Structures are given as structure tokens and as C-alpha cells.
Amino acid sequence: MAKEEALLTHETTVTAEFYDVDSMNVVWHGNYVKFMEVARCALLDEIGYGYKEMAKDGYAFPITTLKIKYVRSLYFAQKAKVKTELLSYENMLKIRYEIYNEEGLLLTKAETTQMAIKLGTTSGEFVTPERFRKLVESKIQK
């Protein structure tokens, strides 16, 4: 099966802090999701439609699906590069993540799907907000 092509990409560097690791100095598995959130926020900010802009427009984008594959461990004080790729944006947000250590070895692969909902009603939307779509399209065309 062919790898889905990215529409936009972003890279973020994170550091495994003391509070991220277990007693063996290995990053606890749930904290990889936190690293993904940091990277997703950076990607959305680069687009110009972060969580504050979503809220101003009356939307939230909760995660509806998370797939994650752990390949190697990250350890205390190590830096990691999180490569974030926007795969879909018109009807939902679909983002792929790859986390690499400083040596360039793949640590984790993941994918999230997020659905736009109207704040206050929490009703699901079948398309993402128009302003968001236009911002993404302006970035894709560059």
C-alpha cells in the first residue's frame, strides 16, 4: 500500500524531560501523544489556525482516532524531531507523525483524525470551517 502524500509538513524538536520518563529513564508511552500535540499545535500555528483561532470561529477539533506504533525508545534528556504531515483537511483533519531521535532513527509512527465540532452545541460538522480551508489552500499553493 502506497504512503499517503502530505499536503503540508512541519518539524518540531522536543526534549524528553524528567517528568516524561519512567523509573528506567525511558519516555512513558503516553507522553509520545503529548509530543504529537506539541507538533500538531506548531503545524496549526504555521497554517494560521491554531486552537485560539478555532475557538474564535466557534469550533473545536477533538481527536476521533489515534493510531500509534512504537518502534524504539526515547530516553531522559534526549531530543527528538517530530515530523508532522497534514494529509487531509476538507472534511476532517488527518495528520501523520514520525518521531526520530537525534541519530535519525525512527522511534514512533502515528496518525490522528480530528473532526470539527461547533462549540456550545458539540454537533459534528461534515466539512471543516471555510476560513481554515482557505488558509490551508494558501499554504499548499506556495
Side-chain angles (χ1 to χ4, degrees), residues 47-112:
I47 291 168
Y49 203 75
Y51 289 111
K52 287 183 180 181
E53 288 78 16
M54 289 176 198
K56 284 179 192 172
D57 285 352
Y59 292 95
F61 279 76
I63 291 180
T64 57
T65 306
L66 166 65
K67 297 184 230 174
I68 193 162
K69 169 76 174 165
Y70 300 100
V71 180
R72 292 179 182 85
S73 297
L74 184 64
Y75 297 90
F76 173 65
Q78 287 186 322
K79 293 191 181 310
K81 178 179 68 176
V82 185
K83 182 179 178 186
T84 311
E85 301 176 322
L86 180 66
L87 303 177
S88 181
Y89 68 96
E90 293 172 317
N91 301 101
M92 64 181 163
L93 229 61
K94 186 174 178 185
I95 301 173
R96 178 172 47 225
Y97 310 83
E98 294 175 344
I99 302 175
Y100 296 89
N101 66 13
E102 292 175 294
E103 291 78 37
L105 294 173
L106 180 65
L107 304 176
T108 305
K109 299 188 298 186
E111 189 176 285
T112 57

Side-chain angles (χ1 to χ4, degrees), residues 7-10 14 17 19 36 55 68-69 76-77 79 87 89 93 95 99 104 114 126 131 137 142:
L7 302 168
L8 295 172
T9 62
H10 189 272
V14 296
E17 303 293 348
Y19 49 79
M36 292 163 46
I68 193 162
K69 169 76 174 165
F76 173 65
K79 293 191 181 310
L87 303 177
Y89 68 96
L93 229 61
I95 301 173
I99 302 175
Q114 295 171 255
F126 293 106
R131 185 161 76 98
E137 289 161 4
K142 288 184 179 180

